[in-house]
C-alpha cells in the first residue's frame, strides 16, 4: 500500500494543475446538482419497534388528518397578583388570544382553556393548546411570529403569558457561530504549530473543500436517498474534524521529509506513502464507527452515520490527492522562512540539537512507565465513576435557561397544575371489534386513574368510526423524572390484563412516552454498537500494526477515555458540579443519544491519533530501532502534530458549550472532554507507557495469524528500496535543502 500511495502522491504533486482542476470541477458540478435538486423529504424521528411509535402510526390511521406527531404550542396565561384568570376581563383577553390564533398559518386546532377545563384549581393559571399541521422544527416563521404577537397582545392587557411546546423548536442548524470560532482557533493553532501561514491555511482550505463537496452531495441526492438537511449535521462536524486532521498529518510528514533532505516531489510521495497510509486506515476506523450507527435501529441516526461516513471518504481522497497537489504549488514555502535556505536550515538543525518537547516527554514516560500507566488509569477511572449513575432521557423545556419563554411556561404549568402537566401521557385504546368500545375505554380510564402517580385522567375521545379512543393521563411528576418512567411501565404492565378484561388493546404514547422509549432503545443498543465498532476496529488495527496487543490496548484506552468523559457529563449536567460555570440552570438526565453519539464521534477521532502516532513508532521499530528508541522517535516527530490536532478538535467542540440549547451545550462539553482525555492521557501517557512495558512483545503476532494477516506495509518499509528520483527541471518547488533531521 505504501508504494501505491507514494506513487499516487508523487503523481498528484507533478500533475498538480490537473488534480486541482478536477477537484474544482467536481465541486462545481456537485454544487450545480445540489442547487437544482428537489427539496429533500423530512426525516422525522420514527422509532420503529417501540410502543409509542406503534401508537402514533395507529393514530394516523384511525384519526386521519390529526397528524399525531405534529407541532403544538401551549400558551400559559397567569392572572395578575390577587386576581383570577376566570375574572371577566381576564377571560375575555384569553379568549381573544385563542380566537386570534385559531385561523392562523398552519394552525389546525386551537383549544381554549375554558372549554377544555385547562384552568388551575386556584383559578390563577390557564393554558390553551394550539395544534399545527407541521412537524416540530418545521413550523413557519410566519406562524411563530403570529404566536408571539398574540401572546404580546395578552401581555399588553395585563396578563403574564409564556409559550411552551414544540412549535417554537428551531428548525435551522445551530452552532454556526461556534463553528466559525472553532475554525479561527484552528487557524491560530496551525500557525503556531507550523510557523507558516501557507502550511496553516492548506489544511483549512482542503477541509472546507471536502466538507463542501460532501454536503453538496447530500443535498443533491437528498430526494433520491431520503436524506434531509438534518442528515448533514454530523457530516459537517466530522468532515471538518477529520479533514483538518488528515491534511495536517500529510503536511507535517511532507515538512519532515523536506527537512530530511528529500526533493519536494519525493517528499510529497513519501508523505503520501507513510502518513497517507495512516490516513487511509484512520479513515476506515471512522467509517466503521459511523456505519455502525445503523445497528441502533433509528433510521435518522443510520442516515446521519452513513452520510457522515461518505464525507469521511471524501476527506481521505482529498488528503491523498488534493493535498499533495497543493503542496506542489507551495513547495518549500510550507517551511518557516528560516528553514528554506539550506545553510540556515543546517544551522538551525545544529543549534536545535536539544530534544524537542515530544522527545523529552517520551523519555520521561520511559523512565517511569509503571507510575505513568497506573496513575493515568486510576485518574480516568475516578473520573468515570459518576457514569455509574448515568440516567438517560431527552431533556425538554425544563432544562432551558429561565430567560426563555419555554422554561417560564414550564414553570407556570408546574406551579399551577403540577409538574406532570408538562408531560401528559396519551393512551390509545384500540377497541376495534369490541362489543362495547365506550365501556372498554371507560374501564381503561378507571384502571389508570387508580394507579399511584396519576393525578388526572381525561374522558375518552373517540374517532369517527367509534372504534378507537384517546385517553390522556396526567402524571404527578415531571416528564424527565424517574417516577414518570416507572408510571409508563406500570401502565404498560397493566395493559395485558385490561385486554383480557375488555378485549381492547392499550398503547401508551405521546412525547413523554416516546422519549422514554428512545432512551430505552439507545440503552439497549449501546453494548451491540460497542461490540460491532470496537470489534471491527480491533481487526482492522491488527492488520495495520500486525500485532495483537497494540489493537487491544488501543480499544481499552478508548473505552477509558469515553467512560471518563461520560462521568464528567454526569457530574456536571446530572449532578450539577460546576454547572453555573458553564451556564447550566437546571440539572436533569443525560441526553439519551449522548453515549452512542459520543462513542461514534470520539472513537473515530481517537483512532486517528492512535494510528498516526503508533504507525510512526512501528515504522521506526521496523526500520531497526529498539522498542524504547522507536517510541521516542515516534513522539519526536508526531507528538506536536497530534497535540495540535487535538487542540483544534477541542476548540471546535468547546465552542458549542456557549450555546443556549442544553443538548448542544452537553454535546460540546462531552466531546471536548472525551478528546482531551483521549489525546492527552491515553495517547500521550498510556500508549508510550504500555509500549515501554511490553517492549518487543507489543509487536507480537502468533504464527498462524502471520500467515493469514496480509502485510500491507503501512510503515513504508518498501520505500527504503525506492531508487532516488532526479529532480525534474522547472518543477517550481525550489532548491533542495541539505539533508538533516529536525523534529517537527
Amino acid at each position: 500500500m505504501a508504494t501505491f500511495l507514494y506513487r499516487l502522491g508523487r503523481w498528484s504533486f507533478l500533475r498538480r494543475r490537473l488534480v486541482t482542476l478536477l477537484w474544482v470541477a467536481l465541486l462545481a458540478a456537485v454544487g450545480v446538482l445540489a442547487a437544482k435538486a428537489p427539496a429533500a423529504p423530512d426525516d422525522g424521528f420514527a422509532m420503529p419497534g417501540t410502543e409509542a411509535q406503534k401508537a402514533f402510526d395507529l393514530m394516523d390511521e384511525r384519526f386521519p388528518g390529526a397528524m399525531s406527531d405534529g407541532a403544538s404550542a401551549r400558551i400559559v396565561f397567569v392572572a395578575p397578583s390577587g386576581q383570577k384568570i376566570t375574572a371577566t376581563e381576564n377571560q375575555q383577553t384569553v379568549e381573544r388570544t385563542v380566537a386570534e390564533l385559531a385561523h392562523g398559518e398552519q394552525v389546525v386546532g386551537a383549544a381554549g382553556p375554558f372549554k377544555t377545563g385547562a384552568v388551575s384549581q386556584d383559578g390563577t393559571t390557564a393554558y390553551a393548546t394550539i395544534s399545527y399541521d407541521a412537524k416540530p422544527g418545521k413550523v413557519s416563521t410566519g406562524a411563530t411570529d403570529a404566536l408571539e404577537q398574540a401572546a404580546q397582545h395578552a401581555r399588553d392587557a395585563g396578563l403574564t403569558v409564556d409559550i411552551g411546546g414544540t412549535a417554537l423548536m428551531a428548525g435551522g442548524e445551530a452552532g454556526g457561530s461556534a463553528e466559525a470560532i472553532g475554525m479561527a482557533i484552528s487557524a491560530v493553532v496551525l500557525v503556531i504549530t507550523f510557523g507558516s501561514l501557507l502550511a496553516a491555511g492548506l489544511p483549512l482550505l482542503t477541509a472546507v473543500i471536502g466538507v463542501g463537496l460532501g454536503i453538496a452531495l447530500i443535498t443533491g441526492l437528498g430526494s433520491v436517498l431520503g436524506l434531509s438537511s438534518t442528515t448533514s449535521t454530523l457530516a459537517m462536524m466530522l468532515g471538518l474534524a477529520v479533514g483538518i486532521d488528515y491534511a495536517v498529518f500529510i503536511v507535517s510528514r511532507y515538512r519532515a521529509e523536506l527537512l530530511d533532505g528529500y526533493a519536494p516531489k519525493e517528499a510529497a510521495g513519501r508523505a503520501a506513502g507513510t502518513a497517507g497510509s495512516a490516513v487511509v486506515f484512520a479513515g476506515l476506523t471512522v467509517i466503521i464507527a459511523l456505519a455502525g450507527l445503523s445497528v441502533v435501529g433509528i433510521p435518522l441516526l443510520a442516515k446521519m452515520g452513513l452520510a457522515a461516513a461518505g464525507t469521511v471518504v471524501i476527506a481521505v481522497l482529498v488528503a491523498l490527492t488534493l493535498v499533495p497537489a497543493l503542496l506542489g504549488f507551495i513547495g518549500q514555502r510550507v517551511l518557516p522562512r528560516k528553514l528554506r535556505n539550506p545553510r540556515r536550515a543546517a544551522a538551525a538543525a545544529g543549534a536545535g540539537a536539544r530534544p524537542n518537547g515530544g522527545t523529552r516527554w517520551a523519555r520521561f514516560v520511559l523512565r517511569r512507565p509503571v507510575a505513568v500507566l497506573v496513575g493515568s488509569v486510576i485518574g480516568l477511572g475516578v473520573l468515570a465513576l459518576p457514569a455509574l449513575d448515568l440516567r438517560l432521557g431527552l431533556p425538554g423545556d425544563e432544562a432551558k435557561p429561565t430567560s426563555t419563554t419555554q422554561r417560564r411556561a414550564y414553570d407556570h404549568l408546574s406551579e399551577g397544575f403540577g409538574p406532570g402537566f408538562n408531560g401528559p401521557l396519551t393512551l390509545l385504546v384500540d377497541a376495534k371489534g369490541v362489543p362495547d368500545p365506550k365501556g372498554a375505554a371507560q374501564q381503561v380510564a378507571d384502571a389508570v386513574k387508580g394507579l399511584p402517580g396519576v393525578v388526572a385522567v381525561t374522558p375518552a375521545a373517540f374517532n369517527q368510526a367509534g372504534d378507537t379512543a384517546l385517553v390522556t393521563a396526567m402524571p404527578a411528576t415531571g416528564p424527565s423524572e424517574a417516577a414518570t418512567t416507572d408510571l409508563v411501565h406500570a401502565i404498560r404492565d397493566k395493559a395485558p390484563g385490561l385486554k383480557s378484561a375488555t378485549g381492547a388493546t392499550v398503547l401508551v404514547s405521546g412525547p413523554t412516552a416516546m422519549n422514554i422509549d428512545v432512551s430505552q432503545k439507545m440503552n439497549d443498543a449501546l453494548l451491540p454498537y460497542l461490540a460491532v465498532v470496537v470489534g471491527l476496529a480491533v481487526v482492522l488495527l491488527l492488520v495495520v500494526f500486525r500485532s495483537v496487543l497494540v489493537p487491544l490496548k488501543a480499544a481499552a484506552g478508548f473505552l477509558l477515555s469515553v467512560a471518563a468523559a461520560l462521568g464528567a457529563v454526569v457530574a456536571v449536567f446530572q449532578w450539577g458540579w460546576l454547572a453555573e460555570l458553564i451556564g447550566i440552570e437546571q440539572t436533569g438526565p443525560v441526553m439519551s443519544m449522548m453515549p452512542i453519539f459520543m462513542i461514534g464521534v470520539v472513537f473515530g477521532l481517537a483512532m486517528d491519533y492512535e494510528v498516526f502516532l503508533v504507525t510512526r513508532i512501528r515504522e521506526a521499530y521496523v526500520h531497526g530501532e529498539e522498542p524504547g528508541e522507536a517510541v521516542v522517535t515516534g513522539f519526536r516527530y508526531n507528538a506536536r502534530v497530534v497535540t495540535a490536532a487535538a487542540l483544534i478538535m477541542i476548540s471546535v467542540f468547546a465552542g458549542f458549550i456557549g450555546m443556549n440549547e442544553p443538548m448542544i451545550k452537553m454535546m460540546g462539553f462531552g466531546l471536548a472532554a472525551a478528546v482531551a482525555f483521549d489525546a492527552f492521557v491515553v495517547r500521550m501517557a498510556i500508549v508510550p507507557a504500555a509500549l515501554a512495558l511490553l517492549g518487543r512483545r507489543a509487536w507480537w503476532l502468533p504464527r498462524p495469524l502471520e500467515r493469514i494477516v496480509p502485510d500491507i506495509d503501512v510503515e513504508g518499509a518498501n520505500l527504503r528500496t525506492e531508487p532516488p528520483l532526479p529532480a525534474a527541471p522547472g518543477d517550481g518547488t525550489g532548491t533542495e535543502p541539505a539533508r538533516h533531521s529536525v523534529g517537527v
Side-chain angles (χ1 to χ4, degrees):
M1 172 174 283
T3 302
F4 168 76
L5 293 178
Y6 162 83
R7 290 170 179 165
L8 177 63
R10 190 170 180 273
W11 179 85
S12 299
F13 184 95
L14 293 173
R15 302 289 186 271
R16 46 190 172 272
R17 290 180 179 82
L18 174 63
V19 172
T20 305
L21 181 62
L22 288 174
W23 277 106
V24 172
L26 181 61
L27 181 60
V30 174
V32 171
L33 171 68
K36 294 185 176 181
D42 180 21
D43 276 323
F45 193 72
M47 291 291 297
T50 64
E51 181 170 323
Q53 186 62 50
K54 291 177 184 176
F56 276 135
D57 295 340
L58 195 56
M59 284 183 216
D60 290 336
E61 178 187 332
R62 304 284 177 85
F63 295 84
M67 197 170 186
S68 61
D69 56 350
S72 64
R74 272 187 169 183
I75 309 178
V76 185
F77 305 90
V78 181
S81 179
Q83 297 184 26
K84 301 288 186 182
I85 200 69
T86 52
T88 302
E89 187 176 345
N90 293 335
Q91 183 169 340
Q92 289 175 349
T93 300
V94 172
E95 289 174 343
R96 277 198 308 270
T97 303
V98 175
E100 182 181 345
L101 289 168
H103 304 291
E105 185 178 338
Q106 294 184 306
V107 174
V108 294
F114 304 109
K115 291 182 179 179
T116 60
V119 180
S120 63
Q121 285 188 347
D122 62 6
T124 62
T125 308
Y127 67 86
T129 302
I130 312 298
S131 303
Y132 294 86
D133 64 359
K135 292 186 178 183
K138 300 296 181 180
V139 178
S140 67
T141 303
T144 56
D145 288 346
L147 190 60
E148 296 278 8
Q149 188 176 14
Q152 187 58 49
H153 290 163
R155 293 188 191 105
D156 294 341
L159 300 182
T160 298
V161 185
D162 283 295
I163 307 168
T166 58
L168 295 183
M169 185 180 294
E173 295 177 8
S177 59
E179 290 166 7
I181 293 171
M183 289 288 284
I185 295 175
S186 301
V188 172
V189 172
L190 288 172
V191 170
I192 294 173
T193 302
F194 289 139
S196 165
L197 288 175
L198 285 173
L202 192 151
L204 298 176
L205 174 62
T206 55
V208 169
I209 290 173
V211 168
L213 182 58
I215 300 303
L217 274 173
I218 292 171
T219 304
L221 300 176
S223 60
V224 177
L225 303 179
L227 306 175
S228 77
S229 58
T230 56
T231 308
S232 64
T233 304
L234 182 59
M236 180 176 292
M237 180 186 294
L238 268 186
L240 280 175
V242 300
I244 294 173
D245 275 6
Y246 296 163
V248 166
F249 296 161
I250 299 290
V251 171
S252 65
R253 186 59 186 252
Y254 173 75
R255 285 159 51 95
E257 298 294 344
L258 283 180
L259 291 170
D260 214 24
Y262 289 97
K265 61 188 173 187
E266 177 72 7
R270 296 178 67 85
T274 52
S277 298
V279 165
V280 168
F281 284 95
L284 282 175
T285 59
V286 180
I287 292 166
I288 287 172
L290 295 172
L293 288 171
S294 302
V295 308
V296 178
I298 300 177
L300 176 60
L301 275 185
K303 290 179 182 179
M304 289 177 70
L306 293 174
T311 307
V312 172
V313 171
I314 294 173
V316 171
L317 294 176
V318 166
L320 296 177
T321 57
L322 183 57
V323 171
L326 294 181
L327 288 173
F329 291 107
I330 297 173
Q332 292 187 35
R333 288 175 293 170
V334 76
L335 295 171
R337 188 176 298 274
K338 66 180 181 180
L339 295 180
R340 295 175 198 167
N341 182 280
R343 294 180 182 177
R344 298 171 82 180
R354 70 184 187 88
N356 63 14
T359 301
R360 293 194 298 273
W361 172 252
R363 288 174 178 169
F364 168 81
V365 174
L366 291 178
R367 289 194 298 269
R368 304 170 181 82
V370 175
V372 171
L373 181 62
V374 172
S376 300
V377 171
I378 290 176
L380 291 178
V382 170
L383 288 170
L385 286 176
L388 297 175
D389 189 37
L390 176 66
R391 185 160 55 90
L392 298 179
L394 285 177
D397 289 346
E398 76 279 8
K400 295 182 183 294
T402 52
S403 58
T404 63
T405 187
Q406 295 97 319
R407 172 61 186 277
R408 292 195 300 269
Y410 181 96
D411 291 340
H412 292 324
L413 282 175
S414 296
E415 293 167 6
F417 298 89
F421 275 73
N422 285 291
L425 304 176
T426 301
L427 278 60
L428 184 142
V429 183
D430 180 7
K432 193 171 186 177
V434 175
D436 182 13
K438 290 186 177 180
Q442 186 60 50
Q443 193 170 341
V444 169
D446 292 340
V448 172
K449 194 172 184 178
L451 288 174
V454 176
V455 296
V457 175
T458 64
F462 278 86
N463 63 344
Q464 270 191 337
D467 60 5
T468 308
L470 296 179
V471 176
T472 301
M474 299 295 182
T477 50
S480 62
E481 295 186 40
T484 304
T485 302
D486 295 339
L487 176 60
V488 170
H489 291 316
I491 297 173
R492 287 173 173 171
D493 290 342
K494 208 169 186 63
L498 289 170
K499 183 175 178 62
S500 300
T502 65
T505 301
V506 180
L507 300 174
V508 184
S509 190
T512 300
M514 177 61 86
N515 291 349
I516 291 169
D517 288 349
V518 169
S519 300
Q520 186 61 51
K521 191 157 190 173
M522 291 288 186
N523 195 51
D524 294 342
L526 189 58
L527 287 180
Y529 179 64
L530 263 179
V532 169
V533 170
V534 176
L536 289 176
V538 165
V539 172
L540 184 63
L541 293 179
L542 186 146
V543 174
V544 173
F545 297 125
R546 296 186 62 80
S547 162
V548 173
L549 298 179
V550 170
L552 293 176
K553 177 265 306 169
F558 159 73
L559 293 175
L560 266 176
S561 61
V562 168
L566 279 176
V569 169
V570 170
V572 174
F573 289 86
Q574 191 174 308
W575 292 358
W577 293 4
L578 304 177
E580 293 182 1
L581 190 64
I582 60 174
I584 301 170
E585 298 183 12
Q586 180 68 44
T587 59
V590 173
M591 185 178 64
S592 55
M593 293 188 210
M594 187 72 183
I596 282 182
F597 194 80
M598 181 184 290
I599 288 170
V601 174
V602 177
F603 182 82
L605 297 178
M607 292 304 105
D608 281 355
Y609 306 145
E610 173 76 14
V611 171
F612 189 65
L613 184 63
V614 179
T615 49
R616 192 64 189 253
I617 294 172
R618 177 165 173 79
E619 179 182 341
Y621 176 75
V622 167
H623 290 160
E625 293 188 14
E626 292 297 317
E629 295 174 357
V631 171
V632 174
T633 298
F635 271 72
R636 179 169 70 249
Y637 285 107
N638 285 359
R640 187 176 184 182
V641 178
V642 170
T643 299
L647 287 174
I648 289 169
M649 292 305 99
I650 293 169
S651 302
V652 171
F653 294 141
F656 290 91
I657 298 176
M659 304 297 290
N660 287 329
E661 181 61 41
M663 288 192 288
I664 296 177
K665 187 188 293 285
M666 184 185 297
M667 191 67 68
F669 176 86
L671 293 177
V675 172
F677 295 149
D678 195 273
F680 298 123
V681 181
V682 174
R683 309 304 153 194
M684 291 294 165
I686 292 179
V687 166
L691 291 178
L693 291 172
L694 290 172
R696 295 183 181 276
R697 289 169 296 181
W699 312 111
W700 168 73
L701 187 68
R703 286 187 179 179
L705 287 179
E706 283 186 357
R707 292 191 293 268
I708 299 173
V709 176
D711 186 357
I712 53 178
D713 187 27
V714 175
E715 303 82 17
N718 293 335
L719 298 185
R720 289 290 176 99
T721 63
E722 290 287 331
L725 296 166
D731 66 359
T733 55
T735 307
E736 180 179 334
R739 182 170 297 239
H740 53 82
S741 181
V742 176
V744 292

